[in-house]
Amino acid sequence: MANLEQNNTSADQSHFKIPDIKFTKLFINGEFVDSIKGRTFDTVDPRTGEVIVRIAEGDKEDVDAAVKAAREAFDHGPWPRMSGFQRARIMLKFADLIEQNIEELAALDCIDAGKLFLWGKLVDIPFGARLLQYYAGAADKVHGEVLKSSRPLHAYTLKEPIGVVGHIIPWNFPTSNFFMKVAPALAAGCTMIVKPAEQTPLSALFHAHLAKQAGVPDGVLNVVTGFGHTAGAAVSSHMDIDMVSFTGSTEVGRLIMQAAATSNLKMVSLELGGKSPLIIFDDADVDKAAELALNGILFNKGEVCAASSRVYVQEGIYGEFEKKLIEKAKAWKLGDPFDPETRQGPQVDKKQFERILSYIDIGVKEGGTLLTGGKPWGSKGYYVEPTVFVDVKEDMQIARDEIFGPVLSLMKFKTVEEAIERANNSKYGLAAGVLTKDMNVANRVSRSIRAGIIWINCYSSLDVGFPFGGYKMSGFGRELGLDGLHKYLQVKTVMTPLHDSPWL
Amino acid sequence: MANKEQQSNGSGETKHFRIPEIKFTKLFINGEFVDAIKGRTFDTVDPRTGEVTAIIAEGDMEDVDVAVQAARTAFDHGQWPRMSGFQRGKIMHKFADLIEQNTEELAALDCIDAGKLFMRGKLADIPGGARLLRYYAGAADKIHGEVLKSTRSLHAYTLREPIGVVGHIIPWNFPTSMFFMKVAPALAAGCTMIVKPAEQTPLSALFYAHLAKQAGVPDGVLNVVTGFGNTAGAAISKHMDIDMVSFTGSTEVGRLIMQAAALSNLKTVSLELGGKSPLIIFDDADVDKAAELALNGVVYNKGEVCVSSSRVYVQDGIYDEFEKKLVEKAKAWKLGDPFDPSTLQGPQVDKRQFEKILSYIDIGMKEGATLLTGGKPWGSKGYYVEPTVFVDVKEDMQIVRDEIFGPVMSLMKFKTIDEAIERANNSKYGLAAGIVTKDLNVANRVSRSIRAGIIWVNCYFEFDIDFPYGGYKMSGFGRDLGLNALHKYLQVKTVATPLYDSPWL
């Protein structure tokens, strides 16, 4: 990593090493290339608002070239024809290379997305390697089934790689999202085109470089940086992509599904937004609950699809809870994400920053009361104070829309029935949390809430083996776990008549 | 069944066939047969004669709204999803019993609605519907989530929960099979639903609704809204309170449904679409059996099957002998009134399909293909088309690329196995394929090389309830039949909680 020291612009004079940006071009068929039209775009550091570097801007013709390479690699190349074990060995090597470059990768996500450097180094980047290791271990255990017929037929299913996949990934967890999609698709034997979010191209291009070093054959993994309405749209409407896997906003999810329908009816999987409720019962430990609630909304500066943006506290502990929450919110340290003591970095870009501030404004206009926060922080960059609204009604925009920032709506409830009804009163259904010691309450509420992930006495706990995805307008399809792998496999039934068999 | 005797169609014969009295002609919503809110109706036509059989209530958006309301209440507050799988299974078995007790009447309804063979309906299609209910009834109490293996101290498991209110949009080619292929797994899963049968074939669907109620399926769980695709069907695919839509039909309509789902509430979609399935016959095949299989592959159910073998590739070593046998068999293939037990092929489902097939035959000739046999309408009344075989066909011709959905085959010759695989895969569709050979290695190689969801080796059209059924590429996604279909109607929910003082993870 180049020792390019740079003074950051927070009040303290610490020097944080930002890396030399080595990869700024599209990665197609094993080579870093300029975009065909030669265009480039800026990627901006949200700590300062300044441009870091210019990146090649891919458009439709670049996606076409990438798809051609991926199609060739799938139809004729070694990758789908290798054993699962051989693919796994290359994936494990890829994971090793990531582990050898952790600091540089964490620094890239830090300056691209404002993510905490220490968190990246200890959790996000290693999670990328872990995803490769998990799916590498599954690659040689992809089983079809022999079926039970009611007539003399020998029949079985084969699980085959679906083909060329388009991955359109968001900016909030550039490394985790990259590998949540790429790792299972690689294990399945698919080939792919990744379109990283325009806000966060840097680590994706570095990962492409490491993939090649690891021995992933040319054409198997392509990365086309660029914008959603050009490169992303080219992926979702492409006639030769077999499947598109998208994580991002509900609005863009709609466009992608439509484009898939009007083009070649490619399969679609969508991980979309959420407005996840955290329900805290009277028997919860108030201090721990306040910690969990705050962390649930401030983790990754609130830029998490499963953030606990609606918190319902039972009236018995409400007063104490509110007090603890404010204390902790006021003590929450914002700052440069390279600083190991910082707990909250800047929002990803100006657009998100302004959007969050406008929602805070709306909340105030709608009659919500600001308990704490509500203002930008610092003199530069896109930092927003941890913000809590009270006196919130269910029909307010701040209670219904996904804000995607450090803004919490805090509400009081009486009975478990009320909590369930209010929790389910959303078009979203991604996650929910339940805090209680009572096993029966936990079982009842976890089965009653229509959401894909329910956390009991914890929040945001993900593991590589836990299926992750939404109900309702939070999308469909699951990532992580073996469900994530099956998404990239097609089921083929093969049968032939059975003669003179002793049994069916 | 009412003993209403009627003269058969104009095939020259004067046999009497009993057609049933049409008992159910209204929408079935929340346990009652009701008129459409706007009071409109439409005709259902008998393809043996072109005459109107019955006047059916025509559901539109407002009727779908009422049905969804009933299904939503039944799901959110009713007993059906809250019963044990075993209890749902019991009701489903009773439903199957009632179907078996009414087999002839149901077979007759599908016969006069869709021109399907009565004998086939009585012996296979209708019992198949009952069989689907029993299969999924048996699975209903065996829906398992999993306990997950964590890398940290967390106890986590998945629950499989019914997805909610489902819209089923079903086609006209197998009215009974299609109805139960969708309804049975959705019922077993604990979902509630709205069925929109094809406008050509509303009759048996409404009868099934009646039997469902008799069996004890609670009000609102199963609703049937008869009507047209562009009104009632569209209302379903864009409804904001339907959680999933399951569709079988044409690729063109599949697109519209997926778009409507995207624009409305991003409901889950599963599509079983068209096909242009290849049947590949190698030199070592038994020529007579192969010709039988190939002909059946394209005239079974008058070619109105998504998986019909509309492209037949025969290796050059046996080609001439094969062609001769095929023509013999095609000419001997008996068309006639579908009530007649000796008939092998009834009329096409309606005038529109009939004309579409004839126009494709016309296109084939204009494109330069040669008619080996058939090519003309049959009989003086109704919508019958002769078994038709084209030769001198090129891969880029419309008759080779488009799904015709009628008794029309394109017969081609090939030399090598590589050529056969390449030509078989040269299609936007990927539903099924057949391979006829004794050679194990050829069978294994070709079955893995063809990009299609169902591969038949030395057979064709073999279905079984446990075998997943669905397409690759533009033939759609999602699987019907087997446990895969049940899982389609279930959502995966992960529940996680911290683990303290556990001896191991």
Side-chain angles (χ1 to χ4, degrees), chain A residues 74 130 134 145-151 153-163 239 242 250-251 253-255 257-258 260-268 270 272 443 445-458 460-473 475-476 478 483 490-497, chain B residues 75 131 146 148-152 154-164 240 243 251-252 254-256 258-259 261-269 271 273 444 446-459 461-474 476-479 484 491-498 500:
Chain A
F74 185 79
R130 178 84 181 87
Y134 177 88
E145 291 182 298
V146 175
L147 306 163
K148 207 80 184 121
S149 180
S150 45
R151 301 201 306 294
L153 288 163
H154 168 59
Y156 55 90
T157 49
L158 290 170
K159 299 220 180 206
E160 307 189 328
I162 199 171
M239 293 302 289
D242 300 299
T250 297
E251 293 65 45
R254 282 189 202 286
L255 298 176
M257 192 170 169
Q258 278 178 261
T262 44
S263 57
N264 67 341
L265 286 159
K266 55 175 68 59
M267 284 182 58
V268 176
L270 303 176
L272 306 176
N443 280 336
V445 178
S446 59
R447 273 166 158 76
S448 302
I449 298 184
R450 305 287 287 160
I453 311 116
I454 311 284
W455 286 299
I456 299 174
N457 296 329
C458 55
S460 296
S461 299
L462 279 185
D463 202 318
V464 76
F466 300 175
F468 175 86
Y471 278 42
K472 306 193 303 191
M473 288 178 76
F476 44 79
R478 292 291 177 268
D483 289 60
Q490 277 273 34
V491 173
K492 171 189 276 180
T493 300
V494 184
M495 70 189 91
T496 189
Chain B
F75 185 78
R131 178 92 178 75
E146 291 183 299
L148 307 165
K149 206 81 187 120
S150 179
T151 36
R152 303 200 304 291
L154 288 162
H155 167 59
Y157 55 89
T158 51
L159 290 169
R160 291 193 180 253
E161 308 189 327
I163 198 170
M240 293 302 288
D243 300 298
T251 296
E252 292 65 43
R255 281 187 202 289
L256 298 176
M258 191 171 171
Q259 277 178 262
L263 287 166
S264 55
N265 67 342
L266 287 158
K267 56 177 68 61
T268 314
V269 175
L271 303 175
L273 307 175
N444 281 336
V446 179
S447 59
R448 273 169 160 75
S449 302
I450 297 184
R451 304 289 287 163
I454 310 117
I455 310 284
W456 285 298
V457 178
N458 294 327
C459 56
F461 281 146
E462 297 288 359
F463 288 97
D464 205 315
I465 280 205
D466 198 42
F467 303 173
Y469 169 83
Y472 278 42
K473 306 196 297 192
M474 288 179 75
F477 43 80
R479 293 290 177 268
N484 296 59
Q491 277 273 32
V492 172
K493 170 188 277 181
T494 297
V495 184
T497 189
Y500 299 107

Side-chain angles (χ1 to χ4, degrees), chain A residues 278-284 286 289 311-322 410-419 422 435-438 441 445:
Chain A
L278 171 59
I279 304 173
I280 302 171
F281 287 89
D282 278 347
D283 66 344
V286 181
V311 176
Y312 297 94
V313 180
Q314 205 163 24
E315 51 185 12
I317 53 163
Y318 182 86
E320 200 192 338
F321 180 90
E322 215 193 64
L410 176 61
M411 295 167 274
K412 199 189 299 188
F413 75 93
K414 276 189 162 60
T415 66
V416 63
E417 287 83 12
E418 182 197 341
R422 292 169 76 178
L435 301 191
T436 177
K437 292 184 187 66
D438 187 329
V441 169
V445 178

